Amino acid sequence: MPRLPKLRPDRCGSRRRYKGAWAAIVLTLGMSLGVSPAQELPPASSMPAGGPVAPRPAAGGGDAAVVSLVEEGLLDAAFGSVFGDAYAPGRWRPLPLRTFFTEGWGEAWACGPEGRDGTTPRHGWLGAFGGVFYRLWFTSLTYRHDLAATPGGDAYAGDYVLFLPLSRRLEVAFDVPFATGNGTSSPRSGYARNVGDFTVTPRVLMSESRAATQVLTLIVRTPTGSTLEGNRVTSLTPRYEFWTNPVGSWVFRGGLGPPIPLNQGRGSSGPGTSIAGDIALGRYVRPHDVPVGDLVFYVACNFDVPLRGTPEAAHVGLGPGTRFHITNNYFFTQFWEFPVARSHAQDYILESAIVKVF
């Protein structure tokens, strides 16, 4: 993915020209040709999950010289979104909900400002990554301690996630679980190691202002993993996500949507339709241009409540998280989740990631 020029005090994260990532351009052009704006209306971190931004002054936006509308067409907008200088001052402008069908589809993506007062970059947090458009990739490792389901033991998963904006209104995220593992009841298998289910997520920006963003997403999960780790699930998850800076250096964000399994028949032990979501509140305590810059501490809650079955089957997890800048638009982020409902799928979850904004 992205290489690295020089970090500049912009609002969204990295501020560099993108050079030499042929895989990214192939993905970008392919999605640009295959997706029409009108068709994306159903679909937003997250992913879950998950964000982007970094530096100091008002990158690509704020009240600095609001640029006039430039509609370029889907291909030109996609190319400019991936390879253009999305963090240039004055490039960003608000997009209201009332112009959803008429503005932004053919305009290259520009990173939004850092909130009301320039102290809350539009970052993604593990456990609550949605609500904002990003141009980044991250690699995460998740550890689950003491699984409740037979045969028990621990589990791990490694993920690679790529966010590619194609215009001001349209983005696509790719989630590649390259490693999953847990114990098995078979003495011959011992510990199962496989890959997880590949996920593609079209994301549509509903509206964006200095202090708030609304996004719709459609998470498309494909049955490419192994059933030994609870994968090989086909599902669709439409989600509404939001990010807002209500006051000072505080950020409030969340998302909600029903995971709808498509390959689970009657009597199947796989997941059924449920209502799943997340909500998080955090505060930034360090500016960008200092050691451990853009330091934020937050608390996030994730929940998954089945629409059928007993309330005891609901999952509710709560825990703390943090994120900070390392160097050259690389960030470290971590999240701990502890079950607080009666049903405990595991004792706790620890997720860590390295994020690269480009």
PDB file of all heavy atoms in Angstrom, residues 186-200:
ATOM      1  N   SER A 186     -11.207 -32.704  18.119  1.00  0.00           N
ATOM      2  CA  SER A 186     -10.572 -33.850  17.473  1.00  0.00           C
ATOM      3  C   SER A 186      -9.114 -33.963  17.925  1.00  0.00           C
ATOM      4  O   SER A 186      -8.337 -33.028  17.757  1.00  0.00           O
ATOM      5  CB  SER A 186     -10.619 -33.701  15.952  1.00  0.00           C
ATOM      6  OG  SER A 186      -9.767 -34.653  15.339  1.00  0.00           O
ATOM      7  N   PRO A 187      -8.726 -35.124  18.477  1.00  0.00           N
ATOM      8  CA  PRO A 187      -7.334 -35.284  18.897  1.00  0.00           C
ATOM      9  C   PRO A 187      -6.360 -35.236  17.728  1.00  0.00           C
ATOM     10  O   PRO A 187      -5.203 -34.873  17.890  1.00  0.00           O
ATOM     11  CB  PRO A 187      -7.322 -36.659  19.574  1.00  0.00           C
ATOM     12  CG  PRO A 187      -8.539 -37.356  19.069  1.00  0.00           C
ATOM     13  CD  PRO A 187      -9.547 -36.291  18.774  1.00  0.00           C
ATOM     14  N   ARG A 188      -6.844 -35.555  16.538  1.00  0.00           N
ATOM     15  CA  ARG A 188      -5.957 -35.535  15.366  1.00  0.00           C
ATOM     16  C   ARG A 188      -5.788 -34.113  14.839  1.00  0.00           C
ATOM     17  O   ARG A 188      -4.726 -33.742  14.355  1.00  0.00           O
ATOM     18  CB  ARG A 188      -6.523 -36.428  14.261  1.00  0.00           C
ATOM     19  CG  ARG A 188      -6.666 -37.882  14.679  1.00  0.00           C
ATOM     20  CD  ARG A 188      -7.086 -38.751  13.520  1.00  0.00           C
ATOM     21  NE  ARG A 188      -6.084 -38.756  12.466  1.00  0.00           N
ATOM     22  CZ  ARG A 188      -6.225 -39.414  11.313  1.00  0.00           C
ATOM     23  NH1 ARG A 188      -7.336 -40.104  11.084  1.00  0.00           N
ATOM     24  NH2 ARG A 188      -5.274 -39.374  10.406  1.00  0.00           N
ATOM     25  N   SER A 189      -6.838 -33.300  14.938  1.00  0.00           N
ATOM     26  CA  SER A 189      -6.762 -31.924  14.443  1.00  0.00           C
ATOM     27  C   SER A 189      -6.042 -31.011  15.425  1.00  0.00           C
ATOM     28  O   SER A 189      -5.296 -30.121  15.032  1.00  0.00           O
ATOM     29  CB  SER A 189      -8.168 -31.372  14.168  1.00  0.00           C
ATOM     30  OG  SER A 189      -8.805 -32.140  13.185  1.00  0.00           O
ATOM     31  N   GLY A 190      -6.308 -31.233  16.724  1.00  0.00           N
ATOM     32  CA  GLY A 190      -5.665 -30.384  17.716  1.00  0.00           C
ATOM     33  C   GLY A 190      -6.125 -28.946  17.596  1.00  0.00           C
ATOM     34  O   GLY A 190      -7.238 -28.605  17.975  1.00  0.00           O
ATOM     35  N   TYR A 191      -5.282 -28.106  17.023  1.00  0.00           N
ATOM     36  CA  TYR A 191      -5.583 -26.688  16.879  1.00  0.00           C
ATOM     37  C   TYR A 191      -5.815 -26.381  15.405  1.00  0.00           C
ATOM     38  O   TYR A 191      -4.938 -26.605  14.579  1.00  0.00           O
ATOM     39  CB  TYR A 191      -4.420 -25.847  17.417  1.00  0.00           C
ATOM     40  CG  TYR A 191      -4.840 -24.537  18.016  1.00  0.00           C
ATOM     41  CD1 TYR A 191      -5.359 -24.481  19.300  1.00  0.00           C
ATOM     42  CD2 TYR A 191      -4.732 -23.366  17.294  1.00  0.00           C
ATOM     43  CE1 TYR A 191      -5.745 -23.272  19.864  1.00  0.00           C
ATOM     44  CE2 TYR A 191      -5.124 -22.154  17.844  1.00  0.00           C
ATOM     45  CZ  TYR A 191      -5.630 -22.120  19.124  1.00  0.00           C
ATOM     46  OH  TYR A 191      -6.007 -20.927  19.671  1.00  0.00           O
ATOM     47  N   ALA A 192      -7.009 -25.865  15.057  1.00  0.00           N
ATOM     48  CA  ALA A 192      -7.342 -25.585  13.651  1.00  0.00           C
ATOM     49  C   ALA A 192      -6.816 -24.224  13.244  1.00  0.00           C
ATOM     50  O   ALA A 192      -6.952 -23.246  13.976  1.00  0.00           O
ATOM     51  CB  ALA A 192      -8.855 -25.638  13.464  1.00  0.00           C
ATOM     52  N   ARG A 193      -6.195 -24.167  12.057  1.00  0.00           N
ATOM     53  CA  ARG A 193      -5.676 -22.898  11.526  1.00  0.00           C
ATOM     54  C   ARG A 193      -6.168 -22.759  10.099  1.00  0.00           C
ATOM     55  O   ARG A 193      -5.833 -23.573   9.241  1.00  0.00           O
ATOM     56  CB  ARG A 193      -4.149 -22.870  11.572  1.00  0.00           C
ATOM     57  CG  ARG A 193      -3.574 -22.975  12.971  1.00  0.00           C
ATOM     58  CD  ARG A 193      -2.062 -23.155  12.942  1.00  0.00           C
ATOM     59  NE  ARG A 193      -1.515 -23.280  14.292  1.00  0.00           N
ATOM     60  CZ  ARG A 193      -1.466 -24.413  14.980  1.00  0.00           C
ATOM     61  NH1 ARG A 193      -1.950 -25.522  14.434  1.00  0.00           N
ATOM     62  NH2 ARG A 193      -0.948 -24.441  16.189  1.00  0.00           N
ATOM     63  N   ASN A 194      -6.935 -21.716   9.838  1.00  0.00           N
ATOM     64  CA  ASN A 194      -7.513 -21.511   8.518  1.00  0.00           C
ATOM     65  C   ASN A 194      -7.610 -20.022   8.223  1.00  0.00           C
ATOM     66  O   ASN A 194      -7.026 -19.194   8.921  1.00  0.00           O
ATOM     67  CB  ASN A 194      -8.912 -22.164   8.444  1.00  0.00           C
ATOM     68  CG  ASN A 194      -8.848 -23.676   8.481  1.00  0.00           C
ATOM     69  OD1 ASN A 194      -8.478 -24.311   7.499  1.00  0.00           O
ATOM     70  ND2 ASN A 194      -9.203 -24.256   9.618  1.00  0.00           N
ATOM     71  N   VAL A 195      -8.391 -19.689   7.180  1.00  0.00           N
ATOM     72  CA  VAL A 195      -8.676 -18.291   6.871  1.00  0.00           C
ATOM     73  C   VAL A 195     -10.142 -18.024   7.191  1.00  0.00           C
ATOM     74  O   VAL A 195     -10.943 -18.950   7.295  1.00  0.00           O
ATOM     75  CB  VAL A 195      -8.389 -17.968   5.382  1.00  0.00           C
ATOM     76  CG1 VAL A 195      -6.921 -18.177   5.073  1.00  0.00           C
ATOM     77  CG2 VAL A 195      -9.255 -18.828   4.460  1.00  0.00           C
ATOM     78  N   GLY A 196     -10.475 -16.741   7.331  1.00  0.00           N
ATOM     79  CA  GLY A 196     -11.848 -16.370   7.649  1.00  0.00           C
ATOM     80  C   GLY A 196     -12.641 -15.993   6.413  1.00  0.00           C
ATOM     81  O   GLY A 196     -12.183 -16.151   5.276  1.00  0.00           O
ATOM     82  N   ASP A 197     -13.845 -15.477   6.623  1.00  0.00           N
ATOM     83  CA  ASP A 197     -14.738 -15.087   5.528  1.00  0.00           C
ATOM     84  C   ASP A 197     -14.365 -13.704   4.990  1.00  0.00           C
ATOM     85  O   ASP A 197     -14.338 -12.722   5.750  1.00  0.00           O
ATOM     86  CB  ASP A 197     -16.194 -15.066   6.012  1.00  0.00           C
ATOM     87  CG  ASP A 197     -16.737 -16.459   6.285  1.00  0.00           C
ATOM     88  OD1 ASP A 197     -16.146 -17.426   5.758  1.00  0.00           O
ATOM     89  OD2 ASP A 197     -17.744 -16.577   7.009  1.00  0.00           O
ATOM     90  N   PHE A 198     -14.107 -13.637   3.694  1.00  0.00           N
ATOM     91  CA  PHE A 198     -13.789 -12.367   3.029  1.00  0.00           C
ATOM     92  C   PHE A 198     -15.033 -11.487   2.976  1.00  0.00           C
ATOM     93  O   PHE A 198     -16.138 -11.949   2.690  1.00  0.00           O
ATOM     94  CB  PHE A 198     -13.281 -12.659   1.620  1.00  0.00           C
ATOM     95  CG  PHE A 198     -13.072 -11.433   0.776  1.00  0.00           C
ATOM     96  CD1 PHE A 198     -12.059 -10.538   1.072  1.00  0.00           C
ATOM     97  CD2 PHE A 198     -13.883 -11.174  -0.321  1.00  0.00           C
ATOM     98  CE1 PHE A 198     -11.856  -9.408   0.292  1.00  0.00           C
ATOM     99  CE2 PHE A 198     -13.695 -10.057  -1.106  1.00  0.00           C
ATOM    100  CZ  PHE A 198     -12.672  -9.169  -0.797  1.00  0.00           C
ATOM    101  N   THR A 199     -14.850 -10.194   3.268  1.00  0.00           N
ATOM    102  CA  THR A 199     -15.970  -9.257   3.335  1.00  0.00           C
ATOM    103  C   THR A 199     -15.708  -8.032   2.461  1.00  0.00           C
ATOM    104  O   THR A 199     -14.610  -7.487   2.467  1.00  0.00           O
ATOM    105  CB  THR A 199     -16.198  -8.792   4.789  1.00  0.00           C
ATOM    106  OG1 THR A 199     -16.485  -9.929   5.606  1.00  0.00           O
ATOM    107  CG2 THR A 199     -17.366  -7.827   4.873  1.00  0.00           C
ATOM    108  N   VAL A 200     -16.726  -7.628   1.703  1.00  0.00           N
ATOM    109  CA  VAL A 200     -16.690  -6.401   0.900  1.00  0.00           C
ATOM    110  C   VAL A 200     -17.783  -5.476   1.418  1.00  0.00           C
ATOM    111  O   VAL A 200     -18.926  -5.914   1.628  1.00  0.00           O
ATOM    112  CB  VAL A 200     -16.907  -6.681  -0.595  1.00  0.00           C
ATOM    113  CG1 VAL A 200     -16.873  -5.380  -1.397  1.00  0.00           C
ATOM    114  CG2 VAL A 200     -15.865  -7.649  -1.119  1.00  0.00           C
TER     115      VAL A 200
END
